[in-house]
Each structure stands twice: as C-alpha cells, then as structure tokens.
Amino acid sequence: MATMTGASDAMPAAAAPQVDDVARWRRNLVVLILLTGGVKSTLAFTAVVPGLQLIAAEFHGATDSILSAQFVITLAPIGMALAGLIAGLFVRTSNLRGTMFVALGVSTIAGLMPLVIHNYTLLLVTRFILGFSAVVADVAMTSVLAAYFTGALRSKLIGFRQSISHISTVITMLASGWLAQQYGWRASSLLFVIPGILLLLAFIAFDRPISKERQEQAQDGAQVSLMQLLPLLLLSLIMALGHAMPHYQMPFLLKENGITDAELVSYVPALSAGVSILSALVFGFVYSRFGFATLVAAATLMGIGFIGSGLATSYEMILFFIVIEGVGAGWTMPFFLSRILDRVTTAQRNHAVGLTLASLFIGQFMNPFVTKPIRDAVGLHATFVIMGVGLIVITGILGLIVIARARAKERALAVV
C-alpha cells in the first residue's frame, strides 16, 4: 500500500467531494506530524548543550561541576537506550495511537520540568524520563508511519524525517543558545512546547484508533527471529560508532592540528549535519534502487571521510572530507529503520523498531569508550584512519555475503 487512506473515507457517496477535501487535509496533517516527530528527540540534547557551563555553575557543590553538568545530558540517552530495548513490551499494534499521545505528553511535561525543578536529583530523573518517553513516542510514530505507508514511499518519508531531524538540530541549538544567553539555561526548556503542539495536532489528525486491518495491509516482511535480526542490529551499532565521530572526536582532532577557534571548530559538525540533511532527502530514491548496497555506499563514504580527515594537513582538507562523510551519514539511520520494517511482520514491528533505535543510541554512547584505547595506543589521527578502514572493510564483507546469498537463492529457484 503506497498511499494512505483517510479515516473519513467510509462516508456516504453524496458527501464525497467534501470528504475528499477533509481526507486530503487529514493526510497532510498526519504526514506533517510523522515527519516532524523526531524533533522532540533532538531537543533532549539541544535544549541543554548550550547551557552546560551555566548548569555547571549552578550545581557546583562538592562534586565535579563539569561532570555534574555532563550527567544532565547523559541521563537522556540512557533513558532512550533503555526505552528502545523494552519498548516492544508495551507498544502494541492495538494501542499505537494511545501510546503516541501519552509518550508525547510525558516528553513535553518532562522537557518543561527544568523551569520549576531546582533539585539536582529530580532534574536527572526528569531527564531520564524525557529520554525514555521520547523514544517510546518514536517507536509508536514509526510504527504508525509503517501502518500508513509501505515500500518506496515509506523509505522516502523516513529519509525526509531524518532530514527534518537534522534541520531541527541546527535550529533548536541556535534557539536554545539564544534563550540560555538571554534568560538563563532553564529558559531553553520552553522549546518543549513543540512536542506539546505536535500532541494537540495529533489529537486532531488521529481522530480514531488505527485499525488492525490497516496495519495488516501494511505488512511487508515475514516472521523472523531475533537471531536473524541480530547481525543487522550489531551493524547498526557499529555504524552509530562511526556516526558519532564528527561530534565526539573531531574537535580534539582539530585541536591537534592547531585549530582552536570555537567558530571554526563548530563549522565541522555543522557542515556534516548540513550535508546529511541533503543526503537524507534522496535516501528513498537511492534505497529503492540499490537496497543493501545503500549501506555499503554509506559506510564507504563515511570511511573515506574519516581516513581523509585523519590524514589531512589543513583545515580546508578536513572540510572537504567531512562533506564526503556527511553524504554517507545521512543514509545511516534511515537505512536501518527501512531495512528492519521491510523484514518484520506487523506483530514484530514495535519491538524491532525499538531495538534498532536502542542499538543506534548505544553505539553513539559507546564512541568515547571504544575510541579511547585506540587513541591512547596510536593517537587520534590514526584512530580516525582505523575507524574509516573498519567501516569500509566490515560493510564490504557483509555486502559480499548478502550478494552471494542472493545469487544462491536465485540459482536454487532456477533449479526448482
């Protein structure tokens, strides 16, 4: 099913012209909500990052103030990873709409809590709840998207959704910085009115439960076991390790190259995100034609970008290779969500999407811990080169395996 039918399509024929208009309006609103749903997850980071120094100053106590501020960030992704692992236990095909409403509401309230909470421990608790509820909402909304759309159109929309998430990262980071500078770090929490607005729009757009029939019609895959999905989940974790390099490691690589100007440093991750926006926009076109080869291409581009950055001798060369890296990075998350949705049944969809999101968040979280021993042994420049080579080799080998299996199936069918 490549198109979506409105909830009011079953009205009498006499009212057809008006119903068509309403259905079209409702379809557009549903698409808007599903494509902008990722904004709340980016806000979990962008609403606090610009105010980290102010947070450290407020909660300076007996402990390390910098570490205390970093914990405020860390608790959200921990909640996100845990939610991804267990979301399938309570996000069901029978309660997608209700779960989406509740999770959007909780993430809105938790995001606004810093405006009134002054206790550090309670602040950490609300940050954990924010991360948890944001991913539960993502799982529900991705499953809703899969219930309404399928095939190439769904892949295209997933790419658009990722592109909008990248755009929101840039915009909300700038807005958060301005609010923190003008009114204090707590004022940035006002940005969480955005998921609140999405919730109000969702009440209008999803005026009735998503029928079981619609979800079954959107069925694409066959029953698979967790062990069959495990290689794909592990691969998503590995790609997420690489995806985090421009944000976690690049500032320190630039410092080793003698580039310490904060504005110049900020251009690099911003350029990576900007290129990823454009790349994600064409993901659906690429994936519908090349399938698994899309990931091989993404990993190769990211690998070339990391190798080139590690060997670069000038700032301009690093910018050039970051452009190459950004193209591949824009295809990473859309690929895994599309691949998982293509392979699983309706009943498995929620659990599989949650595990995919969890593996991506865990991979990003693990980047500093995985790269540290490599960096200590061979240096940061060589670490970039090793990460780049690793991405190319691992996905290249898996690509050859996938091609070999496909050809084996074709030969088996030919014999039959």
Side-chain angles (χ1 to χ4, degrees):
M1 181 176 59
T3 58
M4 175 186 126
T5 56
S8 304
D9 290 348
M11 297 291 288
Q18 182 178 1
V19 170
D20 287 344
D21 291 338
V22 173
R24 188 180 304 111
W25 167 79
R26 194 178 299 279
R27 283 197 293 269
N28 292 337
L29 186 57
V30 166
V31 171
L32 174 65
I33 293 168
L34 295 179
L35 292 186
T36 57
V39 174
K40 69 196 169 313
S41 297
T42 64
L43 279 173
F45 301 94
T46 59
V48 295
V49 168
L52 278 181
Q53 295 181 12
L54 298 174
I55 295 173
E58 179 171 340
F59 299 106
H60 58 273
T63 59
D64 186 333
S65 61
I66 295 178
L67 188 61
S68 296
Q70 290 173 336
F71 276 151
V72 175
I73 297 179
T74 303
L75 262 292
I78 290 176
M80 289 175 170
L82 179 61
L85 291 174
I86 66 175
L89 299 178
F90 50 86
V91 181
R92 305 285 184 177
T93 56
S94 60
N95 68 355
L96 287 182
R97 187 182 69 148
T99 303
M100 177 175 60
F101 290 164
V102 172
L104 280 173
V106 172
S107 61
T108 299
I109 295 172
L112 292 170
M113 278 295 100
L115 293 171
V116 296
I117 288 181
H118 294 270
N119 179 275
Y120 179 69
T121 302
L122 288 178
L123 178 62
L124 294 182
V125 171
T126 60
R127 290 287 298 169
F128 177 86
I129 294 173
L130 169 61
F132 191 95
S133 59
V135 166
V136 170
D138 277 338
V139 172
M141 296 176 83
T142 302
S143 295
V144 170
L145 187 150
Y148 278 99
F149 306 97
T150 190
L153 179 57
R154 183 174 65 197
S155 298
K156 182 186 295 185
L157 292 176
I158 289 175
F160 287 168
R161 189 175 191 270
Q162 185 65 20
S163 181
I164 291 173
S165 294
H166 285 306
I167 294 172
S168 70
T169 298
V170 177
I171 294 176
T172 58
M173 184 73 78
L174 295 174
S176 178
W178 183 83
L179 287 169
Q181 182 67 29
Q182 297 296 321
Y183 306 106
W185 70 269
R186 296 178 184 277
S188 299
S189 300
L190 289 170
L191 293 172
F192 277 93
V193 299
I194 296 175
I197 294 172
L198 285 178
L199 175 59
L200 293 177
L201 294 177
F203 281 135
I204 299 172
F206 300 96
D207 62 332
R208 63 186 62 184
I210 301 168
S211 67
K212 182 179 179 181
E213 289 75 16
R214 175 184 292 282
Q215 298 182 60
E216 290 176 347
Q217 288 172 3
Q219 173 67 40
D220 287 321
Q223 185 79 17
V224 295
S225 66
L226 178 60
M227 291 304 297
Q228 289 174 295
L229 292 179
L230 188 58
L232 197 58
L233 295 174
L234 290 175
L235 187 56
S236 67
L237 189 150
I238 293 171
M239 289 295 291
L241 283 171
H243 196 278
M245 291 295 287
H247 303 279
Y248 283 73
Q249 307 298 335
M250 184 58 73
F252 303 103
L253 181 72
L254 292 172
K255 184 178 181 180
E256 290 190 3
N257 285 4
I259 301 167
T260 57
D261 184 281
E263 187 174 0
L264 292 178
V265 171
S266 67
Y267 287 160
V268 178
L271 180 61
S272 176
V275 174
S276 295
I277 292 171
L278 301 176
S279 175
L281 286 174
V282 300
F283 167 77
F285 173 84
V286 176
Y287 180 70
S288 64
R289 285 157 179 78
F290 300 104
F292 188 86
T294 304
L295 180 63
V296 177
T300 301
L301 291 169
M302 290 175 66
I304 292 173
F306 294 150
I307 294 171
S309 297
L311 300 176
T313 57
S314 69
Y315 180 71
E316 291 73 19
M317 288 180 64
I318 289 178
L319 291 180
F320 171 77
F321 284 109
I322 281 298
V323 170
I324 297 175
E325 178 272 336
V327 175
W331 293 339
T332 302
M333 183 175 285
F335 171 84
F336 288 109
L337 286 176
S338 296
R339 197 73 174 179
I340 287 289
L341 290 173
D342 287 343
R343 296 190 62 186
V344 300
T345 64
T346 300
Q348 295 176 311
R349 187 181 292 151
N350 304 322
H351 192 53
V353 170
L355 290 176
T356 304
L357 293 176
S359 67
L360 291 167
F361 284 121
I362 291 172
Q364 293 181 19
F365 178 77
M366 288 175 57
N367 179 277
F369 305 101
V370 172
T371 56
K372 185 182 186 307
I374 304 175
R375 185 179 73 247
D376 292 343
V378 297
L380 188 54
H381 286 78
T383 300
F384 268 80
V385 174
I386 291 172
M387 290 292 290
V389 172
L391 287 177
I392 294 173
V393 171
I394 291 173
T395 55
I397 292 174
L398 288 175
L400 292 175
I401 293 174
V402 169
I403 292 173
R405 286 182 175 179
R407 290 180 177 176
K409 288 182 180 179
E410 290 177 358
R411 287 194 296 268
L413 291 173
V415 171
V416 174

